[in-house]
Amino acid sequence: GLNSPLIISANITTKVGTWTVDFDSEEADMPWGKVSWSSLEPDGTSVTVQVRSSNDQSSWSAWETATNGNSLSSTPNGRYLQIETKLQITAGDVSPVLLDLTVEVGNLPPMADAGTDQTVEQTSWDGAEINLDGSASTDDGFIEPLTYSWNWDGSLADGMNPTVLLPLGDTEITLTVYDGQFSDDDTVVITVEDTTPPEVMCVESVNPHGNTIPGEDRDNNSKDKNNVNPDGFYEIIAEDICDAAPDIYIGTADDPYMFGPFMSG
């Protein structure tokens, strides 16, 4: 809210006008930045500004005399800033004029948000590509635009939404945002899991002993032409998108024991 009393006092040699206003930032512990004003100050006149802060408009800090256009140096953070402007005539009859006065808040620290934890399916032997998302991070826009740095297990990525390759398992990633003065961190855990079973195929194969090609006509025997795999040899092949060489175990439905592991092929 605003509170703007104008107090005027005068004697034979000095005329003084004081204007006081309470500025409400609507946020506790607001850092205060610059106080700037424009004024007309003929010879024999002056305009001075002093400020103090409070979170409750009851307990106030000490007064600080402001320098036009410069950052405040000793005024602590607070929701309210009380500004007292003194217009004074020390000689003559012409009054100074306050044209405008501007208060700037200081730079608030940013808040990092690395997004929600994710569980994704492995898509290659190396892991899975993940889109990281720091777009929910916030900043007041002062100083510089936010920069985004992600780091995990010795790896780095930059930008608000980088795409990174993560291995099988849990990876904790730290996002650091920086506004040119302050920084903040947040972490996200990405879980890459493999729930897709390998594909197992039984395919016709060459006889490793007789070097017979399936379907080959041996000795012009017409029966061989009609026999897709005359020697009855087959090869078991296992393919998995996440494992270059999956192990193969062989057993029967009636036998609890499995034989293996065997290499694919």
Side-chain angles (χ1 to χ4, degrees):
L2 296 178
N3 174 26
S4 308
L6 179 62
I7 303 171
I8 300 176
S9 62
N11 57 35
I12 296 175
T13 58
T14 304
K15 300 176 182 178
V16 178
T18 302
W19 173 68
T20 303
V21 60
D22 289 356
F23 176 74
D24 182 4
S25 70
E26 300 183 353
E27 184 169 341
D29 296 316
M30 172 65 72
W32 297 104
K34 298 179 181 179
V35 178
S36 306
W37 63 90
S38 299
S39 60
L40 301 177
E41 301 176 43
D43 291 342
T45 68
S46 64
V47 174
T48 57
V49 177
Q50 61 179 1
V51 300
R52 60 181 183 175
S53 62
S54 172
N55 268 321
D56 56 12
Q57 290 186 295
S58 175
S59 176
W60 292 92
S61 67
W63 287 105
E64 176 182 355
T65 299
T67 301
N68 193 359
N70 290 350
S71 297
L72 299 173
S73 60
S74 62
T75 300
N77 297 351
R79 172 172 174 167
Y80 302 94
L81 187 70
Q82 189 171 82
I83 308 156
E84 182 183 88
T85 304
K86 183 180 292 185
L87 296 87
Q88 183 169 324
I89 303 172
T90 56
D93 295 321
V94 180
S95 298
V97 178
L98 178 66
L99 300 175
D100 59 63
L101 187 145
T102 302
V103 176
E104 297 180 21
V105 297
N107 180 41
L108 289 171
M111 294 184 64
D113 189 328
T116 57
D117 295 346
Q118 301 181 52
T119 299
V120 298
E121 185 71 14
Q122 187 171 358
T123 56
S124 71
W125 295 344
D126 296 322
E129 287 192 339
I130 308 297
N131 295 319
L132 301 177
D133 186 4
S135 62
S137 302
T138 58
D139 185 43
D140 59 12
F142 285 95
I143 310 296
E144 296 177 3
L146 276 184
T147 61
Y148 302 78
S149 300
W150 307 79
N151 68 86
W152 68 99
D153 298 335
S155 298
L156 298 172
D158 294 319
M160 183 188 296
N161 301 107
T163 299
V164 300
L165 180 64
L166 299 179
L168 184 68
D170 294 337
T171 302
E172 183 176 271
I173 302 176
T174 299
L175 167 65
T176 300
V177 295
Y178 179 64
D179 69 356
Q181 181 181 10
F182 300 116
S183 63
D184 189 43
D185 295 336
D186 189 34
T187 59
V188 63
V189 176
I190 308 297
T191 300
V192 178
E193 60 182 13
D194 178 14
T195 63
T196 304
E199 181 181 1
V200 180
M201 296 167 286
C202 187
V203 299
E204 301 159 358
S205 180
V206 175
N207 182 339
H209 302 292
N211 295 321
T212 301
I213 300 174
E216 180 184 10
D217 183 6
R218 296 168 297 171
D219 302 326
N220 294 318
N221 186 340
S222 61
K223 291 190 298 180
D224 293 337
K225 294 181 180 180
N226 299 322
N227 191 339
V228 175
N229 188 4
D231 284 344
F233 279 90
Y234 291 86
E235 183 178 13
I236 299 177
I237 298 175
E239 294 181 351
D240 189 79
I241 194 172
C242 304
D243 188 347
D247 292 330
I248 297 175
Y249 291 82
I250 300 175
T252 65
D254 299 329
D255 191 341
Y257 297 100
M258 304 290 290
F259 297 93
F262 302 100
M263 293 181 60
S264 177

